[in-house]
Amino acid sequence: MAYRFSDRMAQVPESFLDELFRVSAVPGVISFAGGLPGSVHIDLEGIRDAARAVFAGEGRMALQYSTTDGYLPLREFIADRYRRRLGLPAMPDEIQIVNGSQQCLDLVAKIFLDPGDAVGMERPGYLGAIEAFSLYEPVFHAVPLAGDGPDLDVLARVVREHAPKFFYGIPNSQNPSGQTYSEEKRRGVAEIFEGTETIFYEDDAFGDLFFDGKPRLPVKRYLSGQGIMSGSFSKIVAPGMRIGWIYAPEPILREFNVAKQAADLHSNFLCQVILHRYLSTHDLDAHVTRVSAIYGRQCRLMCDLLDDLMPPGAGHTTPEGGMFLTATLPGGVSSMDVFREGVREGVAVLPGVPFYVDGGGEDVIRLNFSAVGEEEIEEGVRRLARVVRRLV
Ligand SMILES: Cc1ncc(COP(=O)(O)O)c(C=O)c1O
């Protein structure tokens, strides 16, 4: 039977992530390839107690259908946290709960993009966004990251010449590079967007995870009506709950709500109520500060080992937060070879190629430092360095 799939399915870049996850799960392989927060930091008891309390109290309400925009007390919690932590004038009716912030990528693309529309992305860019946007058949314009944020000259040219419907960026501890925009770059980016019809879509999946515990102020604070933000409880509470949110101006949320309702009516309501109960009875800020400090130690250890053990010509980014860094391989060493040889040596890394919408990334690998403990980081980087030295 020849299945007649839509043309748009052919637009999604071929992904070898399935192969990668299969390989990474092989016993004995130390995986720096995934994107998981550390399982040991999920507050199992706290979430269990919150679930028990919900079942004992408002269980029937929590197991019913609900509204598309999400559980109001949870939206109030998120809006209040934006006001308190970041000084953003967020109100609960500007927040909508989604099924993980990954769903924002799909729905934002769905409401804004027609085939052939321009979209701006960072280079390298988040793989999950490239996949989600590709289904709507845009033309990507990649803007290189320059260490402290996007290259502003290229960004200005892309906005001027191609008028993208939106530019998607991750100013805080970007996936895959771990880079954070400087304060100056945040202002520079906002200036470029001012007076244009291009939206800045600010994915803040990692804004809570700065190792020094200090939040960086979002680009949206300079943009109001032109800024969309998304956030997630995945990295700071538990990804399996699949709860994220979008914070956007009302006219955008109206369209977003229509698309969300058509997609799934609403996000898992039981999880929203349990999560809210958990957040009301536990100190999220204290939890996040503790976990970020641990990730900071793991990141520093990985960076030190890379400095000590990798051959000359190798390099890496030095993140201020988040869960990832990218390492650059010495001249001529291919990231796909490092991936294949690495698995044989017992270490899995993610090759950089799929993060580059316009080609490149052959000499880059992404390394995750949140899901593995210090002993595994030590042994894993030793294995990685052996592989790279053999391939030089
Ligand atoms: C930058 C970024 N955005 C969004 C997501 C999606 O996360 P979730 O759907 O769990 O909120 C991820 C997941 O790793 C991510 O790295």
Side-chain angles (χ1 to χ4, degrees), residues 294-318:
I294 295 170
Y295 287 174
R297 283 202 296 278
Q298 293 176 182
C299 177
R300 267 190 303 280
L301 175 63
M302 185 176 269
C303 289
D304 289 348
L305 288 161
L306 289 170
D307 289 339
D308 289 349
L309 302 174
M310 291 285 263
H316 60 83
T317 57
T318 307

Side-chain angles (χ1 to χ4, degrees), residues 54-72:
V54 167
F55 277 106
E58 62 250 280
R60 286 184 195 285
M61 180 275 286
L63 287 161
Q64 261 300 359
Y65 278 120
S66 184
T67 55
T68 304
D69 49 6
Y71 187 41
L72 179 59

Side-chain angles (χ1 to χ4, degrees), residues 110-132:
K110 189 179 249 177
I111 65 172
F112 278 108
L113 298 182
D114 293 311
D117 277 349
V119 164
M121 291 271 308
E122 294 160 339
R123 182 177 195 278
Y126 170 48
L127 178 56
I130 295 171
E131 287 181 349

Side-chain angles (χ1 to χ4, degrees), residues 34-37 98-105 126-129 168-170 172-176 201 203-206 230-235 238-240 242-245 323-324 366:
L36 276 59
V98 289
N99 191 32
S101 60
Q102 186 69 26
Q103 189 179 35
C104 286
L105 297 163
Y126 170 48
L127 178 56
Y168 169 78
I170 309 172
N172 294 329
S173 310
Q174 197 240 18
N175 179 0
Y201 177 172
D203 182 338
D204 196 22
F206 305 106
S230 66
S232 176
F233 289 105
S234 290
K235 319 294 193 232
R242 306 306 304 127
I243 298 186
W245 66 89
M323 307 190 335
F324 306 102
R366 188 192 76 176

